[in-house]
Amino acid sequence: MATPFHGDRLKALRTEVGRSQAELAERIDSDARQVSRYENNKVAPGLEAVLRIALTFNVRVDYLLIDDAQRRPLNATSSHVDTRLADLDQLTDDERATITNVIDALVTESKLRAITSGVG
């Protein structure tokens, strides 16, 4: 039976920071053999281990468990814009398309302004 845990993502995170399985095991209160089992999808870590892994690599838990989850930081500084972007989920598709068009127009205007200000 397949586990929902993404061992390949754990291995990629570990190698990205240059840690051995033993070093990771120490950080998450486990052992190297167990980390190997996690990475090879032999067993799925328990909830506490998943949380320790997420904290160790500053990634959201969903990235470790859900196929199409994007890698996002667990501890990201929130900004006013982030909060507003989260609110977009409450809008209809047409309303989101309108906002996207406004953003595109503003960005295009800004780029044109930058180009034309250099011409003289």
Side-chain angles (χ1 to χ4, degrees), residues 51-70:
L51 291 172
R52 285 191 297 268
I53 291 166
L55 286 167
T56 297
F57 294 110
N58 191 30
V59 295
R60 305 254 319 232
V61 170
D62 62 343
Y63 177 70
L64 299 169
L65 300 174
I66 300 172
D67 287 342
D68 60 352
Q70 297 295 311

Side-chain angles (χ1 to χ4, degrees), residues 19 21 27 51 53 61 63 70 87 94 103:
R19 284 205 180 105
Q21 289 178 337
R27 286 182 146 288
L51 291 172
I53 291 166
V61 170
Y63 177 70
Q70 297 295 311
D87 291 339
D94 287 342
I103 291 170

Side-chain angles (χ1 to χ4, degrees), residues 5-116:
F5 185 77
H6 283 277
D8 57 328
R9 291 180 181 172
L10 172 60
K11 184 175 184 175
L13 289 167
R14 179 181 61 75
T15 56
E16 184 179 294
V17 297
R19 284 205 180 105
S20 68
Q21 289 178 337
E23 290 169 326
L24 174 58
E26 187 175 312
R27 286 182 146 288
I28 65 169
D29 195 27
S30 187
D31 63 70
R33 286 179 301 209
Q34 193 69 341
V35 170
S36 176
R37 289 183 199 112
Y38 296 158
E39 289 183 354
N40 292 300
N41 293 315
K42 303 286 185 197
V43 296
L47 180 58
E48 285 187 30
V50 171
L51 291 172
R52 285 191 297 268
I53 291 166
L55 286 167
T56 297
F57 294 110
N58 191 30
V59 295
R60 305 254 319 232
V61 170
D62 62 343
Y63 177 70
L64 299 169
L65 300 174
I66 300 172
D67 287 342
D68 60 352
Q70 297 295 311
R71 181 175 173 180
R72 295 176 293 162
L74 178 64
N75 299 310
T77 55
S78 182
S79 72
H80 177 67
V81 173
D82 292 338
T83 304
R84 299 302 291 247
L85 289 175
D87 291 339
L88 294 179
D89 289 338
Q90 299 172 29
L91 303 178
T92 66
D93 289 343
D94 287 342
E95 291 166 334
R96 282 192 297 273
T98 299
I99 290 172
T100 301
N101 290 337
V102 169
I103 291 170
D104 289 345
L106 290 170
V107 169
T108 299
E109 181 183 348
S110 176
K111 288 178 180 178
L112 288 172
R113 200 172 35 249
I115 292 170
T116 57

